[in-house]
Amino acid sequence: MTSLRWRHLPVMCALALASWSCAVGPDFVRPSPPMTTDYTPGSPPKVLSPGAAEVEQRVQVAAEISSAWWQLFRSPALDDVVKRALADNRSLAQARATLAQSREFVNAARGAYYPQIDANGSAQYQAELERNGWKFESQNGSTAYSVGATVSYVVDVFGGVRRNVEQQSALAEFQRYELAAAWLTLTGNAVTQSISIASLRAQIEAVEDVVADDTRSLDLVQRKYDAGKVAKSDVLTASTQLASDQAQLPPLRQRLAAAQHALSVLAGKLPAAWAPPDFQFADFTLPVELPLSLPSELVRQRPDILASEADLHASSAAIGVATANLFPSLTLSGSISLAESAAIFNGPGAGYSLAAQLLQPVFHGGTLRAQRRAAIDAYDASLASYEQTVLVAFQQIADTLRALDHDAELVAAEQRLLSTAEEALALQRLRYEAGKIDLLDLLDAQRSYGQARLGVAQAQGQQLTDTATLYVGLGGGWWGAEI
């Protein structure tokens, strides 16, 4: 009994050494959030909603962000489009599959924590050949059988296995945040494309109304020409204005078709198989309360920042893996076998073996140290990439806040301009019919009115788009969604 205890002492010592060991390389520490309390100089902006100066879009600092943020636009048609996209979008399905793959890589890496056991078996027939004339005949044949098992275990003395698992886990986290980013991008694109459809339809409607005015003006000029009250040049001028305004329609209709096709693809449908709703501005309600996360919270909720942080973590763990490769590795192995000749297990012979292998790198031409230096360089690159991602994220929020402020000013200005241009056009048309102004003055008023109609449609679309951009920029509440 005493000799048996001594015989297994090396194994016991090795296991004890493994339990006492620590992983070499740096332990990852999350970067601290930026030391700032604001995104832009001054206080958060207050912006007016279009058409109702007494109603304000108010910024609520540290307010909770809904995971179904698109529902704040109160559009059942938009809700249906986003639901379709989340169910059938191919990019989102690809991101889910990639995440599942990365999690299996983690499971595979964790397998190194445990002994590796393999079974083996063999059968071999042996015989002597004896010459009989021109033939060879088999003599004294026998069959040998053997079965057994081998066990090997890598003692993770310096934590190389643990650092590898840590690296694979960080890469799985990276893919998790990439999935969140794909979800956020998908919902954001679905909303902005829907808004684009509404904006382009409003612009097309505005141009069509202008074309209708041009047609009425041309009829008026034609009647005056037929009556001998104006020159032929006035007819040509009115015709030119009509053709010029008609030329604005094909590009707008093409952009509308492209937006519709893009939304079909986002919903996972062929453009010929599914057409999105004919959105109009009346289908959307501009959200009044706008959430604004604290800067310290933004770096903990934007998926692109979190993905960059996970990549930084993986780079840190890779340094530990490269460092562990510089130190000795200890592998314990054992095997047991049963052997029999002529018949299986008819009084078989048995045997076993135990072995411990210590491998110490001595000379590799500088490869191992170069690999460690490369891992450190990769970490520095990941850190710079992380910091750049944070800077860009803060820039996007600052740009969007200022854009919303300026959008409100622009919408209000465009609406005032439209009201003035509409009154001026009505007055100029009466004056032209009375012969008090010439045709160019009337066409000038029509042009100003048409541009004002387009300006209002574009400004309203931009304000709705920038509102959606703010929700996306703040993370869109993805952490509360079932992704």
Side-chain angles (χ1 to χ4, degrees):
M1 180 66 70
T2 302
S3 60
L4 183 61
R5 292 197 186 104
W6 281 103
R7 185 182 307 164
H8 293 290
L9 183 60
V11 177
M12 298 169 60
C13 291
L15 294 176
L17 181 61
S19 65
W20 296 337
S21 63
C22 60
V24 296
D27 292 327
F28 180 71
V29 178
R30 300 184 73 179
S32 300
M35 301 298 293
T36 181
T37 57
D38 296 310
Y39 294 99
T40 60
S43 59
K46 289 185 177 181
V47 293
L48 301 177
S49 63
E54 68 277 4
V55 179
E56 294 182 346
Q57 271 190 309
R58 294 180 295 273
V59 171
Q60 293 185 317
V61 179
E64 183 179 353
I65 302 173
S66 171
S67 59
W69 59 269
W70 55 89
Q71 295 180 356
L72 300 176
F73 290 93
R74 299 179 183 177
S75 171
L78 177 63
D79 295 346
D80 180 67
V81 167
V82 175
K83 182 179 179 180
R84 285 176 177 271
L86 291 175
D88 298 327
N89 183 263
R90 299 302 186 267
S91 296
L92 197 61
Q94 178 186 4
R96 290 191 181 107
T98 302
L99 173 59
Q101 178 190 34
S102 65
R103 285 174 172 168
E104 293 303 330
F105 286 151
V106 176
N107 293 333
R110 285 175 177 163
Y113 284 149
Y114 306 98
Q116 309 298 301
I117 304 175
D118 297 291
N120 58 73
S122 65
Q124 183 179 15
Y125 178 80
Q126 293 180 330
E128 296 180 0
L129 293 178
E130 181 176 305
R131 184 168 181 175
N132 184 8
W134 294 98
K135 297 181 180 180
F136 288 90
E137 297 179 354
S138 177
Q139 302 291 332
N140 302 323
S142 65
T143 303
Y145 303 91
S146 68
V147 294
T150 59
V151 181
S152 64
Y153 178 69
V154 177
V155 182
D156 194 24
V157 179
F158 296 99
V161 172
R162 276 166 287 171
R163 290 302 188 193
N164 183 51
V165 172
E166 179 185 355
Q167 182 183 19
Q168 294 300 325
S169 298
L171 292 175
E173 281 294 287
F174 173 84
Q175 293 300 335
R176 173 177 174 241
Y177 297 130
E178 285 288 283
L179 172 59
W183 178 92
L184 186 59
T185 300
L186 173 61
T187 56
N189 286 343
V191 172
T192 54
Q193 288 292 355
S194 300
I195 294 171
S196 290
I197 290 174
S199 178
L200 288 167
R201 285 174 57 83
Q203 293 176 54
I204 290 172
E205 182 180 347
V207 174
E208 288 175 341
D209 287 348
V210 170
V211 169
D213 281 343
D214 290 341
T215 302
R216 287 192 293 269
S217 297
L218 178 58
D219 291 341
L220 177 62
V221 174
Q222 185 66 47
R223 288 196 302 271
K224 286 195 171 189
Y225 173 74
D226 293 340
K229 295 181 179 180
V230 296
K232 181 67 173 178
S233 59
D234 283 0
V235 178
L236 295 176
T237 301
S239 298
T240 301
Q241 183 63 44
L242 173 60
S244 176
D245 289 334
Q246 287 174 331
Q248 297 182 54
L249 288 173
L252 289 173
R253 288 168 176 161
Q254 171 56 32
R255 290 172 57 192
L256 174 60
Q260 291 170 330
H261 298 162
L263 193 52
S264 297
V265 172
L266 287 173
K269 307 295 183 181
L270 294 172
W274 181 80
D278 292 329
F279 286 106
Q280 297 180 351
F281 280 135
D283 296 325
F284 300 93
T285 299
L286 187 70
V288 174
E289 305 292 344
L290 298 179
L292 183 63
S293 303
L294 295 172
S296 58
E297 295 175 347
L298 184 69
V299 298
R300 301 294 186 240
Q301 63 191 39
R302 269 188 61 132
D304 58 339
I305 296 178
L306 292 172
S308 186
E309 181 183 303
D311 181 68
L312 182 65
H313 188 177
S315 297
S316 173
I319 297 176
V321 173
T323 303
N325 290 337
L326 298 173
F327 292 90
S329 62
L330 176 61
T331 302
L332 304 178
S333 61
S335 65
I336 185 171
S337 63
L338 299 174
E340 170 66 24
S341 296
I344 300 179
F345 302 138
N346 183 16
Y352 73 92
S353 66
L354 296 175
Q357 181 183 31
L358 183 66
L359 182 64
Q360 167 64 57
V362 178
F363 179 75
H364 288 258
T367 299
L368 298 180
R369 294 193 178 277
Q371 289 173 344
R372 184 177 184 276
R373 292 193 299 269
I376 295 173
D377 293 336
Y379 176 85
D380 292 339
S382 296
L383 178 60
S385 176
Y386 171 83
E387 293 170 344
Q388 181 66 18
T389 301
V390 172
L391 289 172
V392 171
F394 275 67
Q395 177 194 354
Q396 290 174 349
I397 299 301
D399 289 347
T400 304
L401 290 174
R402 289 308 181 202
L404 286 168
D405 196 15
H406 300 147
D407 288 342
E409 296 174 356
L410 180 59
V411 168
E414 290 287 356
Q415 287 181 331
R416 290 193 299 268
L417 177 60
L418 176 60
S419 178
T420 302
E422 188 174 13
E423 292 180 7
L425 176 59
L427 179 61
Q428 293 295 72
R429 183 174 285 116
L430 292 175
R431 296 183 66 189
Y432 180 77
E433 291 176 354
K436 295 181 178 180
I437 60 172
D438 59 23
L439 179 62
L440 292 179
D441 292 329
L442 175 61
L443 296 181
D444 230 15
Q446 287 183 194
R447 188 180 300 109
S448 296
Y449 173 72
Q451 291 174 347
R453 285 282 303 272
L454 284 174
V456 169
Q458 292 169 351
Q460 288 180 338
Q462 191 61 53
Q463 187 173 42
L464 286 167
T465 297
D466 288 337
T467 300
T469 300
L470 179 63
Y471 285 108
V472 173
L474 294 174
W478 68 268
W479 49 91
E482 294 182 3
I483 302 180

